[in-house]
């Protein structure tokens, strides 16, 4: 522990302890080949939350749970006037997803907080910031839509009643699911002064550039439509083709057109249809209903708006061609924007002190910190993911890269311990 | 009962009793608005089978169940040299299907047999034919694929082991499901000398022509493919469009192309994709797998064969465009053909005696009698369905039309009572 008493040097994280924590959490909902299925508010989520609550208690953090199930671990050691710096992510996963998306950010927050606690003990300094460890509810949007639901409620974007009444495919509401797993709390909303989220990249820009650290400058906007085509069930045999009202055919036309919107939009336009529900989905029944979960994403608000117009026209055209009706069931829009420049600079400085350049990236995926960016200074920082894979069992970030990310996060938090609100009041 | 003792006149069916029987059966698996969900070998199917077994016992028919669960009620009253005439259909249904598809043919067989039994008692004649009332297993192919499974085993088209090992979406095999509901029997296969199936039309040719009775001349062939596109799960946000391997996009291209095959084939070509399974089917995961249940149907073998070639080329092209792999998981082919001319003539004569012309139709849907046409003389006869609807809760045939169909079926069976094998040995 040479130099451990030097307050100006960043705390050294315990990489082995971090690795073990990550492995512990990975067993909850884990499957073969690196698979993880820990759907929001499922039994697996409950077990993982209990595990996290146990860690917080052992670390001396005060756990509070709010009405949408967000978990906050408070480290109030700097007095009520000191800024509150939040870090964390989410521990829910996609079905058959990977181990690191979200979970890494939560475990990294644990390890970074543990490192600054140790450094405070060793140096005897008086910290100038309080900290909050966050685990947000239903980031993934796999079981319940929309995604980033817990942070969306916290930022005031979604009304609590709206969020609690969202239903999964079995008709279970978020509110019911929260009660079942015992995570419907009553904590009041606390808006932090800064929010830092460490996340695996989920694309291969870092890997391709041979770099190991990035901070996010722009975050993309997203427009999500849930669209239903309503046809008419009929026998796939005798029903004359001209009389069919085939909901899946309309879906096929639209999926093809949605891909064409991306082709036209170039690198600044991503589109997808990730979920498609077909009713009754029997081999010899012409489908009577098809529901599409459509996403359009772009960093350019104008491009996103024109893509939405194209989508609306394509929906009508697909319905016309297949002689079905079309209904928009829900629309969810997330604005494009930029993260906080002070936090970006802090990340750059912290990485530079560790001899690493900071790559400037866009965040295309939604993150809780994007949802919170309208109410607080936020920043997402990234370490590489192998092959750019995310939302798949083979999702992987090497232990070294993971430890390096935690080291940077701990360094950033330490700067807040030393400098307090001065770090982020420059622009406000 | 004037003229009841005149053996040359057809038996008069008890329309009211028939109507009540139909209503009884409709309650098993019945839902609101005429809906029926009685999936093959489900608990509802078991209840309906028990009900049918009860009817057979009360009517003096000897029940035998074979290893694939087909139920046969034997009326052996004409000696072992007399021909065996089979009639019946199936009592399984589509999910959220209608009440009359299949069930009407079974209940009609009950009512027709009841009518000829009564007429034999009243006239004192010695019948020249034995009768078998049939209920075939898994005609619909909704829970287990392929469809017409029980009759396909009976005709020798499918090996018993193949049929018993088919699995539903939960991985339950036909064999397990048969054991669960207690309908795994051991009766030996009996090939009848003739097989007549009364069925609702399921299209609107009769209704549009203002007629009420049809017999089927041609039956269409069908080629069914189960095709999987294998892509790669990835996040719908950051994953660059150029790196995506989107299985649903390939499915969309193929569904569109399959519709184009029908457009090109004209009235003699029907195509469909009724079922589409998407994995993992989460809104912000690029789908890693999509499985399509494809049907091509035509009365013209050459047209069907060329459509299959087009399908194979379209599969490859769709996979190439979406950068995914393609796998054919199963292929099922049913040959086109013609029903028995003697039975067709018998239907025409019976209808004419009741003052009704017989419309000549194609059968496009699969029927158990089509599956059996390779081993016995068969005929499907039809009464109108309102609006041509089948496989939908609004499926409907008026009580008068239903009774008329039963009357014709009873008349045809009565001719066998009077004339025996002479009616069908003319061509053999």
């Amino acid at each position: 522990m040479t130099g451990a008493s030097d307050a100006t040097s960043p705390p050294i994280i315990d990489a082995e302890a971090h690795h073990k924590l990550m492995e512990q959490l990975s067993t909850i909902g884990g499957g073969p080949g690196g698979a993880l299925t820990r759907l929001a508010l499922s039994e697996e989520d409950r077990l993982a939350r209990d595990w996290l609550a146990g860690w917080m208690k052992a670390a001396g953090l005060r756990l509070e749970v709010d009405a949408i199930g967000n978990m906050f671990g408070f480290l109030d050691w700097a007095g009520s006037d000191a800024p509150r710096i939040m870090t964390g992510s989410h521990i829910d996963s996609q079905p058959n997803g990977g181990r690191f998306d979200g979970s890494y950010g939560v475990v990294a927050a644990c390890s970074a907080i543990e490192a600054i606690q140790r450094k405070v003990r060793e140096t005897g300094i008086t910290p100038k910031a309080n900290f909050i460890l966050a685990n947000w509810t239903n980031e993934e949007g796999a079981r319940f839509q929309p995604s980033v639901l817990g942070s969306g409620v916290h930022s005031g974007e979604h009304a609590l009643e709206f969020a609690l009444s969202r239903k999964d495919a079995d008709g279970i509401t978020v509110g019911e699911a929260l009660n079942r797993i015992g995570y419907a709390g009553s904590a009041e909303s606390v808006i932090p002064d800064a929010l830092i989220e460490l996340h695996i990249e989920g694309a291969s820009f870092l890997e391709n550039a041979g770099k190991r650290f990035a901070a996010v400058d722009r975050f993309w906007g997203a427009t999500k439509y849930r669209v239903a085509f309503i046809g008419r069930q009929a026998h796939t045999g005798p029903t004359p083709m001209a009389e069919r009202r085939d909901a899946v055919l309309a879906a096929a036309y639209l999926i093809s057109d949605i891909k064409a919107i991306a082709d036209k939009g170039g690198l600044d336009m991503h589109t997808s249809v990730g979920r498609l529900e077909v009713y009754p989905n029997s081999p010899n029944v012409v489908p009577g209903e098809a529901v599409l979960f459509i996403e359009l994403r772009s960093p350019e608000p104008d491009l996103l708006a024109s893509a939405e117009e194209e989508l609306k026209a394509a929906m009508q055209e697909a319905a016309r061609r297949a002689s079905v009706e079309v209904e928009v069931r829900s629309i969810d829009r997330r604005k494009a924007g930029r993260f906080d420049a002070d936090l970006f600079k802090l990340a750059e400085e912290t990485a530079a002190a560790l001899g690493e350049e900071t790559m400037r990236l866009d965040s295309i995926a939604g993150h809780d910190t994007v949802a919170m960016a309208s109410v607080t200074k936020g920043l997402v920082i990234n370490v590489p993911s192998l092959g750019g894979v995310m939302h798949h069992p083979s999702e992987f970030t090497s232990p070294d890269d993971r430890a390096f990310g935690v080291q940077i996060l701990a360094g950033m938090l330490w700067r807040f311990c030393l400098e307090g609100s001065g770090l982020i009041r420059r622009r406000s």
Side-chain angles (χ1 to χ4, degrees), chain A:
Chain A
M1 288 292 175
T2 316
S5 60
D6 173 13
T8 60
S9 69
I12 307 300
I13 66 139
D14 184 338
E16 198 177 329
H18 170 70
H19 193 67
K20 277 186 188 159
L21 272 186
M22 193 71 235
E23 293 209 323
Q24 279 175 20
L25 181 55
S26 297
T27 61
I28 306 174
L36 187 82
T37 299
R38 196 191 293 142
L39 299 181
L41 312 185
S42 64
E43 186 58 17
E44 289 78 16
D45 191 12
R46 182 184 72 76
L47 290 168
R49 285 163 174 264
D50 290 353
W51 174 89
L52 180 61
W55 184 90
M56 287 179 182
K57 192 176 175 190
L61 272 54
R62 185 183 82 255
L63 171 62
E64 293 197 8
V65 178
D66 70 10
I68 192 65
N70 295 319
M71 297 172 70
F72 301 114
F74 288 85
L75 178 59
D76 291 328
W77 59 3
S80 58
D81 291 342
R84 286 162 302 190
I85 311 305
M86 185 181 276
T87 183
S89 189
H90 60 93
I91 55 177
D92 69 322
S93 87
Q94 290 289 329
N96 198 33
R99 287 164 290 172
F100 302 106
D101 173 3
S103 294
Y104 168 59
V106 172
V107 174
C110 294
S111 300
I113 285 174
E114 187 274 330
I116 61 170
Q117 286 178 310
R118 187 157 29 85
K119 181 95 179 174
V120 164
R121 282 195 305 272
E122 289 168 0
T123 58
I125 69 152
T126 302
K128 292 185 175 168
N130 296 309
F131 294 91
I132 309 173
L133 195 161
N135 168 38
W136 303 102
T137 294
N138 190 45
E139 193 271 352
E140 291 291 354
R143 179 176 176 193
F144 300 101
Q145 288 80 44
S147 57
V148 291
L149 189 66
S151 47
V153 169
H154 206 75
S155 73
E157 184 190 342
H158 299 307
L160 178 62
E161 301 71 40
F162 167 83
L164 292 175
S165 63
R166 296 309 89 199
K167 286 179 183 171
D168 70 7
D170 296 325
I172 300 168
T173 66
V174 167
E176 288 160 359
L178 279 168
N179 281 316
R180 277 188 204 184
I181 66 164
Y183 276 89
S186 58
E188 290 198 7
S189 173
V190 174
I191 301 299
D193 295 281
L195 171 58
I196 304 168
E197 181 171 3
L198 172 54
H199 205 282
I200 62 167
E201 184 195 345
S204 49
F205 291 102
L206 276 171
E207 188 179 74
N208 293 343
K211 294 186 182 295
R212 63 195 305 212
F213 181 68
V216 173
D217 178 11
R218 297 190 303 179
F219 48 83
W220 286 34
T223 300
K224 302 186 182 186
Y225 269 63
R226 194 154 53 89
V227 171
F229 289 113
I230 317 292
R232 184 172 176 84
Q233 275 181 235
H235 197 299
T236 55
T239 314
M241 293 303 292
E243 291 176 18
R244 297 187 186 198
R245 296 162 54 191
D246 184 339
V248 152
L249 181 62
Y253 291 148
L254 184 56
I255 291 167
S256 174
D257 285 349
I258 287 168
K259 172 60 164 57
I261 293 173
D263 291 342
K264 217 174 87 179
L267 291 177
D268 273 353
M269 176 59 62
H270 286 184
T271 68
S272 62
V273 178
R275 183 172 170 90
L276 177 59
E277 296 169 350
V278 180
Y279 305 97
N281 216 22
S282 182
N284 54 359
V285 180
V286 176
E289 186 172 329
V291 183
L292 294 85
F293 292 65
I294 301 160
E295 294 179 359
L296 311 173
R297 298 176 191 250
S298 176
E300 300 298 336
D302 290 350
L303 193 56
L304 199 55
S306 72
E308 185 173 349
E309 290 310 309
E310 287 174 54
L311 170 65
K312 280 151 71 175
M315 276 171 358
Q316 297 301 331
E317 176 63 9
R320 191 195 60 74
R321 287 177 70 190
S323 305
V324 302
E325 302 297 314
V326 61
E327 273 177 28
V328 176
R329 294 268 169 92
S330 73
I331 302 176
D332 183 40
R333 292 189 187 86
R334 199 174 62 225
K335 282 186 186 164
R338 295 190 110 91
F339 280 130
D340 185 68
D342 290 337
L343 291 175
F344 194 96
K345 186 158 179 286
L346 174 61
E348 279 186 317
E349 290 168 2
T350 309
L354 292 162
E356 191 68 29
E357 243 187 316
T358 298
M359 193 168 179
R360 183 178 293 263
L361 285 182
D362 284 1
S363 174
I364 305 180
H367 286 298
D368 295 304
T369 302
V370 173
M372 288 285 290
S374 58
V375 294
T376 188
K377 291 166 176 287
L379 185 71
V380 170
I381 54 179
N382 287 152
V383 288
S385 27
L386 190 70
V389 173
M390 193 152 80
H391 290 185
H392 186 277
S394 67
E395 175 187 297
F396 187 70
T397 296
S398 75
D400 274 1
D401 284 345
R402 276 183 266 151
F404 187 71
V406 177
Q407 186 59 57
I408 290 187
L409 179 61
M412 292 175 74
L413 300 189
W414 186 246
R415 286 281 300 278
F416 278 104
C417 284
L418 297 179
E419 302 175 42
S421 59
L423 266 177
I424 45 172
R425 289 229 176 118
R426 284 177 284 190
R427 294 195 315 161
S428 60

